[in-house]
Amino acid sequence: MTPDDRSPSEQDELDELSGLSRRSFLKGAGGGVVAGALAGGLAQPSTSEGVVPQEASAPGASTVSLSGRHQIALQVNGEQVLVDVEPQTTLLGALRHHVSPPMTGTKEVCDRGSCGACTVIVDGRPVYSCMQLADDMPGHAIRTIEGIGTPDDLSPVQEEFCRFDGLMCGFCTPGFIVASTACLEKHGAPDVDTIKRELSGNVCRCGTQTHIIRAVQAAGESGVLKGER
Amino acid sequence: MTSARNRPEWGSNDTHALLNSDIPRVDGPEKVTGRAIYTHDIRLPQMVYARLVVCPYPRAKIKSQSYRKARKVPGVVHGAPFKEVGDSIAFQGADGVVGAIVAETPEAAAAGLCGVKIDYEVLEPVVTPEDALAPGAPVVGRRGNVTGLSSSGDRAEVEAALSECAAVVRGTFRVPVQHHVSLETHGVVVDYRGGNEATVYFSTQGVTGSNREFASHLDLPSENVRVVAHNVGGGFGAKFGGGIEGRIACELALELRRPVHLMLTREDEFLMAGNRSGSEQRVIAGASRDGVFKALAVEADRHGGVGRGALPTPPYIYSVGNTYSEIRSVHTATDSSRAMRAPGHPQASFAMESVLDELAYGINMDPVEFRKKNLADPVYHRQLDRVAKEIGWLEHPHRTQPGVPENALAVGIGFGVAIWGSRSRDITVVDVRIGPDGSVLAATGVQDIGQGARTLVAAIVAEELGLAAHEVSTDIGDSRLPPSVASGGSVTTGSLGPSVKDGAFNARVELAKRIAPMLDAEPEEIRFADHRVFVEGDSGRSVSWKQACASLGKDPLQVSGRFQPHLRDQGIHGAQAAKVEVDLLTGRVTVLKMVSIQDQGLPLNRMAIRSQMNGGMIQALSFALFEERVLDKKTGLMLSGNLENYKIAGCGEMPELVAIIDDEDTREAVMGMAEASNIPGHSAIGNAIYNACGLRLREMPFTPARVLQAKGGMS
């Protein structure tokens, strides 16, 4: 069935169903409208499945309407990545499900901005990738766990996590590593209170928090600053 | 230990080359770089994503339902109900799974879910024990709303003993339902594309044998189904069987002949993935003037939803002259409780440690001394003394009566003890292979759920062969590997460790036999240490590890290890202390410091044990101050069903934690310890609040509202 087969009312209903609740929640506006300032960064999306982006009808309002699958270009760990997304696709969803090959280091735990497992660095700041729409991300520099060290070449904070056992099951760990990296880049050698504050948006259930705090402190004290290794 | 004996021995705990030290996790680098693949992360060609349609009400009837619009959403490949119009939902959780949507992408599955229209007739929810016990309440279970009543002891004798006590305390202790909150939700990826074979990726605490369950769902021979769990994002007792989500994923895969990815959402996880049962314990306890715990009467209800719930029979740990108890399950129409880290014990600990404290203060006795007086086992005495010293009890200004705060902030200290069986099972087989290139591989079906099983396997083999832990490769988390134990009840270390040691021992003995002629020595004289193989007492006659392995020729050396009962023991203790600050203006409780001491025989990996102790303390802190499942009494809707409403302790709440390994336990045997470390922490926090300011909180969590309520009641 193509969109043309449907009656207008049915199409409206389906547009509603296409998961716009998250958009409404994030933007305070329904109807698949992205505010112009945010859409400004959109790299000319090509259309892979009957798609739009088009200027909204309201004169002067710099907005675009999106529906269906379309391609955007993300800048991830210094490389341009073309990815097919839907309007409701989050940055987390794009990384985990739509980038090829998938980047599954960033974890989905709550999918609503309350656990930090999906933390990535956007333009130098840690953000919850589950609370960012993929369509808002072109033009922004995204760093994920995959861009911070490898098993054979760990970053200083990754080394300290291993040394102090700042991980157990490991599911929260990528989010903590990314948030810790952002913390170290911002503060250099942060004190314990600063570390606690900067990592307060990340949740761990196994109970590694005190070891994580020590690991971040040690990484800061080792003097390897500002992330460039 | 590499001395030649005819059977493996751990040797004295202070003579290890690698074990009994801080051993970094061998899978640390994979996990800190996001390279470790969990079930959530499995991506397969043609894979589809399934979402469950879940009734939010505990009890309801389906008046009408339509999946028509859901099926029209682009990308949705399947959408169907499991129940028909007129069918009932009997309880929240598994019975509330009324349908499923399957789609090409997670977004389409979510959109499809929005298209499902169901009208429910909402029935009386029965979510509180009071509702379940009310006259004329709807019957929740098949056998009624009250089951499993058991009693022990003689009530008349307890009452007679109570009449002679110098101090008698009465109290009703309420523990809420707690959730496991594994960060990786429950779920599976079923890779079945038609044909006679399937692979199931499964976030589980028990890999070995789990293929049988999925084979039954898929109607395949069990040997044709392989289950894989290379990394598991936490379990805490809730991840044993495949559950309803496992069955549904298999059914969908059978129908669609495509791999099905079905991981619960966080909301689904809270609704249907189990919990720690709550409890209400009505207690009367008495002690003599000289500090002997004379009498105890407990009437207790387990709140396990449609499940049984868990609570040990009183008295818990302590010796009591006369005890009478009645325990029963009161069923509500809510998700069944499951095992959770020391099932039933934290609940029992809260009531028991609280009344002990009250009795001690009731006779003006130091609660540490009162505990020791009523604990026969001397291990508890040394452990209590140690945590008392470490928390600063001996310098604490008020030890036999609570503090009378002069300003808004009051500081107090409290205690609790633990117990656990730490048993083991004779099931694990470990294959050890040494390659001519010097590579070593240890393989067994055990799973690493965060406890460090993979590192334990590598380290035991490495020590035996004189290598480093990271030089031993491991193959675990696969049902096709030799069998191992499910990880629950702290059985992993005691069940796995002896088999690994036996396999490593056999590998060393066999390699020694091959090397001995090269070094002109008897096999019994061959030693392994620091990457060298040498003759005891003659370091001149030696070869490097690589040279030794090269002498194997073309074929690797392969041996197996089996369970050796003399290498494990069971039965552990544990004590904890907590220091808190209570703000009497706001009611806020801040935990300043916690101390835990734990015995476990030979501490295989000291760092992993300290991490487990920290985890036990942090989970107890979180349970004490924050965690509580909240259901709306009128509708039964869950009000605490995501992490923003069900708070768990984070970095901001971290106190100073001191984790002490009790090295006075010199048993040359291994056993698990994770459960014990999770038992007494919240009780110690409750007792610390009382010690700080004289407020006895008998209902958890100890929220500001409850502190202020108790304060109001005091004046």
Side-chain angles (χ1 to χ4, degrees):
Chain A
M1 179 184 258
T2 70
D4 297 337
D5 297 337
R6 300 188 197 104
S7 65
S9 64
E10 211 174 20
Q11 181 63 52
D12 290 347
E13 281 176 335
L14 289 174
D15 282 348
E16 250 173 65
L17 294 181
S18 290
L20 293 180
S21 60
R22 183 187 299 272
R23 289 183 78 75
S24 314
F25 177 69
L26 290 175
K27 300 298 165 216
V33 177
V34 182
L38 294 161
L42 284 174
Q44 299 294 314
S46 69
T47 61
S48 61
E49 203 183 285
V51 183
V52 209
Q54 55 188 257
E55 291 298 319
S57 53
S62 164
T63 57
V64 291
S65 295
L66 300 169
S67 73
R69 240 167 133 72
H70 57 281
Q71 192 175 70
I72 58 172
L74 297 178
Q75 192 201 325
V76 183
N77 300 326
E79 288 179 24
Q80 177 162 299
V81 179
L82 296 176
V83 52
D84 288 339
V85 297
E86 295 174 53
Q88 72 270 35
T89 302
T90 61
L91 175 56
L92 174 64
L95 293 169
R96 287 185 55 81
H97 298 288
H98 301 301
V99 168
S100 181
M103 301 173 75
T104 56
T106 307
K107 298 299 184 222
E108 177 186 318
V109 167
C110 73
D111 202 26
R112 56 200 287 174
S114 52
C115 77
C118 67
T119 304
V120 299
I121 296 174
V122 176
D123 299 333
R125 294 178 53 234
V127 302
Y128 292 155
S129 62
C130 73
M131 301 303 283
Q132 304 293 324
L133 291 169
D135 277 325
D136 289 341
M137 288 294 108
H140 296 282
I142 300 157
R143 279 167 69 202
T144 70
I145 185 68
E146 286 85 357
I148 304 174
T150 64
D152 296 324
D153 184 21
L154 298 175
S155 78
V157 76
Q158 286 170 327
E159 272 177 22
E160 301 296 357
F161 265 62
C162 292
R163 189 158 73 95
F164 286 102
D165 212 27
L167 67 149
M168 291 178 79
C169 84
F171 211 72
C172 73
T173 310
F176 266 107
I177 291 284
V178 173
S180 299
T181 301
C183 169
L184 289 164
E185 288 174 358
K186 184 175 171 190
H187 298 286
D191 60 20
V192 168
D193 285 344
T194 304
I195 296 168
K196 284 185 175 180
R197 193 178 66 243
E198 294 280 341
L199 299 185
S200 62
N202 291 66
V203 162
C204 164
R205 186 50 154 175
C206 296
T208 60
Q209 291 91 333
T210 53
H211 283 175
I212 288 174
I213 292 164
R214 283 174 66 189
V216 176
Q217 204 180 4
E221 286 165 359
S222 73
V224 185
L225 304 181
K226 303 293 176 192
E228 300 304 324
R229 305 177 52 246
Chain B
M1 293 303 295
T2 60
S3 63
R5 295 191 189 88
N6 55 14
R7 70 171 193 173
E9 300 283 357
W10 296 111
S12 173
N13 289 355
D14 56 6
T15 57
H16 288 273
L18 174 60
L19 302 176
N20 198 8
S21 70
D22 285 356
I23 308 168
R25 282 165 206 272
V26 292
D27 45 8
E30 294 279 313
K31 287 182 172 177
V32 299
T33 55
R35 267 50 167 197
I37 298 294
Y38 297 76
T39 305
H40 259 225
D41 304 328
I42 297 295
R43 303 287 179 267
L44 299 167
Q46 298 297 304
M47 188 173 81
V48 285
Y49 294 86
R51 285 279 299 268
L52 301 177
V53 182
V54 182
C55 173
Y57 305 106
R59 296 178 66 253
K61 191 174 271 190
I62 297 175
K63 279 159 61 180
S64 71
Q65 61 181 356
S66 169
Y67 286 69
R68 190 181 60 85
K69 285 178 192 161
R71 284 193 290 263
K72 286 185 180 171
V73 171
V76 168
V77 298
H78 177 90
F82 302 136
K83 290 190 190 250
E84 290 173 21
V85 171
D87 283 353
S88 292
I89 290 94
F91 60 90
Q92 200 163 41
D95 206 47
V97 178
V98 297
I101 300 291
V102 185
E104 302 284 353
T105 64
E107 291 91 338
L113 212 56
C114 297
V116 176
K117 296 289 174 227
I118 304 176
D119 278 337
Y120 293 106
E121 178 189 347
V122 181
L123 305 175
E124 194 182 327
V126 197
V127 293
T128 68
E130 297 74 42
D131 292 343
L133 293 171
V139 176
V140 169
R142 266 172 302 176
R143 291 171 295 142
N145 291 353
V146 177
T147 66
L149 177 68
S150 68
S151 63
S152 71
D154 186 322
R155 176 169 248 162
E157 281 178 18
V158 171
E159 279 170 5
L162 280 169
S163 68
E164 294 169 9
C165 287
V168 173
V169 300
R170 291 158 201 275
T172 297
F173 295 86
R174 293 190 178 89
V175 180
V177 168
Q178 182 188 24
H179 290 284
H180 299 74
V181 201
S182 300
L183 288 204
E184 182 179 39
T185 57
H186 286 64
V188 294
V189 178
V190 177
D191 185 5
Y192 177 72
R193 311 177 204 194
N196 204 27
E197 292 193 334
T199 299
V200 178
Y201 302 88
F202 180 26
S203 185
T204 182
Q205 295 176 238
V207 171
T208 295
S210 63
N211 54 315
R212 290 195 292 271
E213 176 183 353
F214 294 107
S216 146
H217 296 325
L218 291 165
D219 201 18
L220 292 173
S222 59
E223 61 272 20
N224 290 14
V225 177
R226 175 187 177 201
V227 174
V228 176
H230 286 152
N231 294 286
V232 180
F236 311 110
K239 284 186 181 168
F240 291 105
I244 189 167
E245 64 278 7
R247 178 171 63 73
I248 289 170
C250 289
E251 287 168 3
L252 293 170
L254 271 181
E255 179 157 343
L256 300 169
R257 311 228 151 194
R258 293 175 67 176
V260 172
H261 185 287
L262 201 179
M263 302 303 296
L264 297 188
T265 63
R266 183 56 53 186
E267 289 81 359
D268 293 348
E269 180 85 4
F270 275 99
L271 279 171
M272 67 177 76
N275 53 69
R276 180 191 294 288
S277 55
S279 73
E280 180 179 295
Q281 299 168 71
R282 301 171 291 275
V283 182
I284 308 173
S288 64
R289 189 154 303 286
D290 59 347
V292 179
F293 198 157
K294 290 283 194 188
L296 174 69
V298 181
E299 287 177 10
D301 298 340
R302 296 177 293 247
H303 300 157
V306 294
R308 180 180 176 277
L311 201 65
T313 304
Y316 181 63
I317 305 181
Y318 293 90
S319 310
V320 179
N322 280 290
T323 302
Y324 174 77
S325 69
E326 269 182 33
I327 304 185
R328 61 182 185 172
S329 298
V330 176
H331 299 288
T332 51
T334 54
D335 188 22
S336 175
S337 62
R338 300 188 188 180
M340 181 170 176
R341 211 166 167 186
H345 285 239
Q347 297 96 311
S349 169
F350 176 48
M352 195 67 177
E353 297 286 0
S354 298
V355 297
L356 261 147
D357 233 47
E358 291 191 54
L359 289 174
Y361 290 115
I363 55 169
N364 293 309
M365 193 169 179
D366 179 332
V368 173
E369 295 309 314
F370 185 80
R371 281 180 168 77
K372 284 157 65 181
K373 190 149 186 145
N374 294 287
L375 286 165
D377 192 330
V379 172
Y380 286 118
H381 294 221
R382 74 168 187 246
Q383 292 187 338
L384 278 166
D385 286 343
R386 183 77 190 273
V387 297
K389 186 167 175 234
E390 189 66 41
I391 200 83
W393 181 242
L394 304 180
E395 304 83 57
H396 192 59
H398 38 92
R399 287 183 280 152
T400 56
Q401 282 299 308
V404 181
E406 288 168 8
N407 58 31
L409 295 177
V411 173
I413 291 173
F415 299 88
V417 297
I419 190 169
W420 195 251
S422 297
R423 297 178 194 283
S424 48
R425 288 185 64 203
D426 177 359
I427 172 173
T428 302
V429 175
V430 179
D431 284 351
V432 179
R433 192 180 71 197
I434 300 175
D437 59 352
S439 64
V440 183
L441 175 70
T444 184
V446 78
Q447 52 289 318
D448 196 321
I449 59 171
Q451 82 281 50
R454 193 187 293 275
T455 306
L456 183 149
V457 170
I460 293 172
V461 175
E463 176 172 277
E464 193 80 12
L465 300 176
L467 303 173
H470 67 86
E471 291 167 318
V472 174
S473 302
T474 53
D475 197 357
I476 66 168
D478 189 327
S479 65
R480 294 204 169 163
L481 292 170
S484 189
V485 72
S487 294
S490 297
V491 302
T492 308
T493 298
S495 306
L496 173 68
S499 299
V500 181
K501 176 70 175 175
D502 187 52
F505 173 85
N506 292 336
R508 175 174 64 76
V509 168
E510 189 55 37
L511 191 56
K513 276 187 205 161
R514 314 270 187 100
I515 302 300
M518 263 172 68
L519 296 177
D520 194 20
E522 295 302 313
E524 296 75 24
E525 297 177 289
I526 301 296
R527 300 289 175 270
F528 296 73
D530 299 328
H531 302 89
R532 293 204 72 76
V533 182
F534 58 95
V535 180
E536 187 173 31
D538 183 358
S539 57
R541 277 189 288 161
S542 78
V543 292
S544 72
W545 168 258
K546 292 262 185 198
Q547 289 169 323
C549 294
S551 74
L552 290 170
K554 261 197 351 235
D555 297 326
L557 185 160
Q558 297 199 64
V559 297
S560 290
R562 289 177 183 279
F563 185 69
Q564 300 295 333
H566 70 282
L567 293 175
R568 65 93 172 93
D569 206 336
Q570 60 192 34
I572 60 171
H573 311 74
Q576 292 187 14
K579 185 176 186 179
V580 306
E581 180 183 82
V582 185
D583 185 332
L584 289 159
L585 285 179
T586 64
R588 184 187 157 109
V589 175
T590 305
V591 180
L592 303 174
K593 181 174 179 175
M594 291 181 81
V595 181
S596 172
I597 186 167
Q598 193 60 59
D599 52 322
Q600 62 275 295
L602 166 62
L604 286 168
N605 181 354
R606 297 181 79 85
M607 189 150 72
I609 290 168
R610 288 201 309 275
S611 284
Q612 286 280 15
M613 268 193 265
N614 287 347
M617 288 188 276
I618 291 168
Q619 287 184 8
L621 182 159
S622 189
F623 192 29
L625 299 187
F626 307 121
E627 296 184 40
E628 179 173 22
R629 184 186 71 186
V630 181
L631 301 169
D632 178 56
K633 280 185 164 195
K634 277 199 171 150
T635 60
L637 292 174
M638 185 174 280
L639 306 179
S640 55
N642 204 313
L643 286 166
E644 74 266 27
N645 294 327
Y646 187 93
K647 179 166 168 59
I648 64 175
C651 287
E653 285 84 34
M654 284 306 107
E656 178 188 358
L657 295 182
V658 181
I660 302 167
I661 292 171
D662 185 356
D663 287 313
E664 291 184 54
D665 178 5
T666 55
R667 287 176 285 180
E668 293 170 17
V670 298
M671 65 212 81
M673 46 63 66
E675 321 282 323
S677 66
N678 199 45
I679 291 172
H682 60 293
S683 310
I685 290 168
N687 288 340
I689 293 169
Y690 181 81
N691 177 260
C693 58
L695 298 180
R696 176 60 63 184
L697 301 187
R698 298 193 180 90
E699 182 166 5
M700 291 170 55
F702 311 133
T703 58
R706 291 207 171 104
V707 171
L708 294 178
Q709 205 171 21
K711 185 183 157 198
M714 215 175 52
S715 55

